[in-house]
Amino acid sequence: MYGNVTGEAVGVWVRKRGIEPPPRRGYQGRRHTSKDGHYVRSRLELRVDNWLFRHKLDHEYEPRLPFPFKNKPWLADFKVGAAYIEIWGLSKIVWYQDKMKRKKALYTEHGLHLVELDATDFEEGRWKEILKAALLK
């Protein structure tokens, strides 16, 4: 709700004026716009997307993974060439750790190249070096 106006009403008003709002799949949190126009779900994703753009690396945001989970498509955070990037932003939460383990096992099982970043990598400033080592060979 925006005051007494629903989000749906705002969407109708915006579309009537020829403006298409960003897609909203599942997660209903705040979206951030990267320098290349992607609408990303977190500030960590924003930093990575802008870094990829600055280094002129073609990338896809939220690519569908080649394996489903519970018969539903599963998404990575980014894909650059054959490398998938996952930002484990909630890695200290137990239910998220279980999801991480399952997803990592599927990456290994399918022989996919996974580049992993977590919140600590950003806090300690390692994330750029990790991306450089994995993507700028």
Side-chain angles (χ1 to χ4, degrees):
M1 286 289 264
Y2 303 92
N4 291 332
V5 180
T6 66
E8 185 177 330
V10 170
V12 169
W13 183 88
V14 166
R15 282 187 195 89
K16 280 184 180 178
R17 280 142 186 85
I19 303 167
E20 188 59 37
R24 297 182 70 112
R25 295 188 309 242
Y27 177 77
Q28 297 298 312
R30 178 152 187 232
R31 295 283 215 161
H32 306 274
T33 306
S34 68
K35 292 182 181 189
D36 62 0
H38 289 132
Y39 295 103
V40 298
R41 300 174 191 269
S42 73
R43 287 191 176 119
L44 300 182
E45 289 180 346
L46 181 64
R47 291 167 78 179
V48 170
D49 199 315
N50 287 338
W51 186 91
L52 295 170
F53 178 72
R54 250 189 326 277
H55 287 85
K56 296 178 176 55
L57 293 170
D58 286 335
H59 60 282
E60 185 179 348
Y61 177 65
E62 292 192 333
R64 189 176 283 205
L65 291 168
F67 49 82
F69 179 70
K70 296 182 180 179
N71 295 320
K72 293 182 182 176
W74 215 346
L75 308 175
D77 291 319
F78 295 94
K79 184 177 182 193
V80 179
Y84 291 89
I85 301 171
E86 288 286 356
I87 303 169
W88 309 115
L90 304 174
S91 60
K92 295 178 182 167
I93 298 173
V94 174
W95 66 263
Y96 192 80
Q97 291 169 355
D98 293 338
K99 176 185 170 184
M100 283 172 49
K101 285 178 192 171
R102 286 193 308 261
K103 206 168 184 183
K104 284 182 191 185
L106 287 168
Y107 273 107
T108 301
E109 182 181 318
H110 290 270
L112 300 175
H113 179 213
L114 174 61
V115 178
E116 300 179 74
L117 300 169
D118 64 27
T120 307
D121 295 323
F122 289 88
E123 291 164 9
E124 297 178 3
R126 291 187 303 258
W127 67 278
K128 290 178 185 177
E129 290 306 315
I130 293 169
L131 291 176
K132 275 184 199 173
L135 304 173
L136 298 178
K137 297 176 182 178

